[in-house]
Amino acid sequence: MARFVTVAKADSIQPGQLVKVEIDNFPVAVANVGGTFHAFDDTCTHEDCSLADGELVRTVVTCPCHFAEFDVRTGAVLAPPATVPLKVYPVRVQGNDLQVEF
Ligand code: FES
């Protein structure tokens, strides 16, 4: 059953920053886009690459391996070689706790 899991302090992730967290040993990336947080699978759907090691420009994350691009809000593929969207997760902030529904 999905539940909200605290993954970080909200003020530890600055606007424009991308971090990797783990929930039940599963890698999840969290992006701060202008104060709004988005969470999605950290592993690129193309091959086994950590998107948190990639680049975040506004709402777009670029994979560091072969430069596929995804929309961090929806997981949609914006540029190949990836073809499969990323899974995204609801995020909320409680006090200063950043929580991801997983
Ligand atoms: S592993 Fe991400 S684009 Fe290839």
Side-chain angles (χ1 to χ4, degrees):
M1 195 174 90
R3 81 283 189 208
F4 279 94
V5 179
T6 299
V7 297
K9 293 298 179 195
D11 64 5
S12 70
I13 305 172
Q14 302 309 310
Q17 197 180 359
L18 189 57
V19 301
K20 176 178 169 180
V21 300
E22 292 207 343
I23 304 175
D24 298 342
N25 296 316
F26 188 86
V28 172
V30 177
N32 180 337
V33 179
T36 301
F37 295 95
H38 302 276
F40 49 92
D41 279 348
D42 181 57
T43 305
C44 183
T45 60
H46 178 236
E47 286 179 9
D48 193 12
C49 243
S50 171
L51 293 172
D53 291 337
E55 196 179 7
L56 178 69
V57 177
R58 295 192 189 88
T59 56
V60 179
V61 63
T62 302
C63 179
C65 290
H66 314 104
F67 311 109
E69 295 179 353
F70 301 90
D71 187 321
V72 300
R73 299 167 298 182
T74 63
V77 177
L78 301 177
T83 57
V84 177
L86 288 173
K87 184 169 180 9
V88 296
Y89 302 93
V91 181
R92 72 182 184 190
V93 177
Q94 297 276 288
N96 192 28
D97 286 345
L98 182 65
Q99 299 181 330
V100 174
E101 188 174 30
F102 192 80

